[in-house]
Amino acid sequence: MEGPLAAEKIVTAALLVIGDEILSGRTADRNIHYVAEHMTRIGIRLQEVRIVGDEEEAIVAAVNELRARQTYLITTGGIGPTHDDITADAIAKALGVGIGHDERALELLQAFFAKRKLEPTPARLRMARIPHGASLIKNAISVAPGFMLANVIVLAGVPDVMQVMLDDITPQLETGARMQTATIKLNRAEGEVADLFAAHQKIFPDVTMGSYPSFSEGRISTQLVLRSTDSARLEAARAALELKLRESRML
């Protein structure tokens, strides 16, 4: 493809959600939607999401596969104080580095514990175990840091903590062109507009298009969503689609 779109900067990410509690259904994941929305907003394309349990080899395999395919790999979960919090060790193994109590993390945690008159037990100090060479990600809620090593960003699983960690690391990330969206809502079933919509996609192959049906209060509706990093191209595709829908008496 020639022109501005051919040269646009594309930055991608994958998200690896870690935890037996997610796979068992005991805990409902709230992080996927937040991370996806955040990445889209800052100009990083979230390309895939995977969930694995608390099993070291499964985490190592997923980390190495996903980090090789995307600009960034974000992980959530498994960096707490309990025996099944094994993410840090798995990341160290995946990247071939050592791991131990990080002096920077220890200082943060010990000050936090002292202020609250908490005993710095071995379990609590597990949260200071960081792979060698990693940079720390600030945790403005409960202090125990996340970390970044190579292109792997390791965040907590608790949603509020994950969010402040993600905010902290965001200014350090490379970003690309931001995706923009146009939405047309129809009080029609998806099948009624499918052929027209498919033909329109062929005319604008550089604009991502998708249809999303819903059923509410006894009524069927469909949202046609167009996405592009080029605002002019997006507007052209939207206007042309609206015209076709009106001419076909679907809008």
Side-chain angles (χ1 to χ4, degrees), residues 17-210:
V17 179
I18 299 169
D20 289 344
E21 70 277 12
I22 304 297
L23 290 171
S24 70
R26 190 184 68 80
T27 300
D29 181 86
R30 289 168 43 201
N31 292 328
I32 294 173
H33 177 263
Y34 187 92
V35 171
E37 199 171 54
H38 183 88
M39 293 292 106
T40 298
R41 186 168 60 251
I42 66 174
I44 297 177
R45 302 185 188 184
L46 186 63
Q47 301 288 75
E48 52 188 318
V49 176
R50 188 177 302 185
I51 304 173
V52 296
D54 298 311
E55 199 275 301
E56 186 178 79
E57 291 306 318
I59 298 170
V60 169
V63 165
N64 281 330
E65 182 181 341
L66 296 173
R67 73 185 180 95
R69 282 211 295 261
Q70 311 299 343
T71 311
Y72 296 109
L73 168 62
I74 300 165
T75 77
T76 62
I79 57 172
T82 60
H83 72 280
D84 58 344
D85 288 310
I86 60 172
T87 297
D89 291 273
I91 298 296
K93 185 173 182 178
L95 275 73
V97 300
I99 185 170
H101 288 94
D102 185 284
E103 290 299 326
R104 300 163 298 172
L106 281 171
E107 185 176 345
L108 290 169
L109 286 166
Q110 288 170 340
F112 181 81
F113 297 151
K115 186 175 181 180
R116 287 158 181 77
K117 296 184 167 52
L118 296 172
E119 183 183 354
T121 62
R124 287 176 174 145
L125 292 178
R126 273 178 57 82
M127 295 184 289
R129 296 181 75 254
I130 306 289
H132 297 165
S135 59
L136 300 188
I137 299 174
K138 184 178 179 182
N139 171 1
I141 293 178
S142 54
V143 175
F147 60 87
M148 181 171 180
L149 182 60
N151 67 333
V152 182
I153 300 163
V154 179
L155 308 178
V158 177
D160 290 347
V161 178
M162 186 281 297
Q163 291 170 21
V164 298
M165 286 182 174
L166 188 57
D167 287 343
D168 181 65
I169 194 64
T170 291
Q172 301 176 43
L173 302 181
E174 179 182 13
T175 57
R178 298 188 183 189
M179 191 67 72
Q180 300 174 63
T181 303
T183 302
I184 300 172
K185 184 174 180 179
L186 303 176
N187 293 319
R188 303 268 182 174
E190 187 179 30
E192 292 183 55
V193 72
D195 290 341
L196 184 152
F197 198 38
H200 192 67
Q201 175 71 90
K202 291 180 181 178
I203 297 170
F204 293 88
D206 52 332
V207 177
T208 303
M209 302 184 191

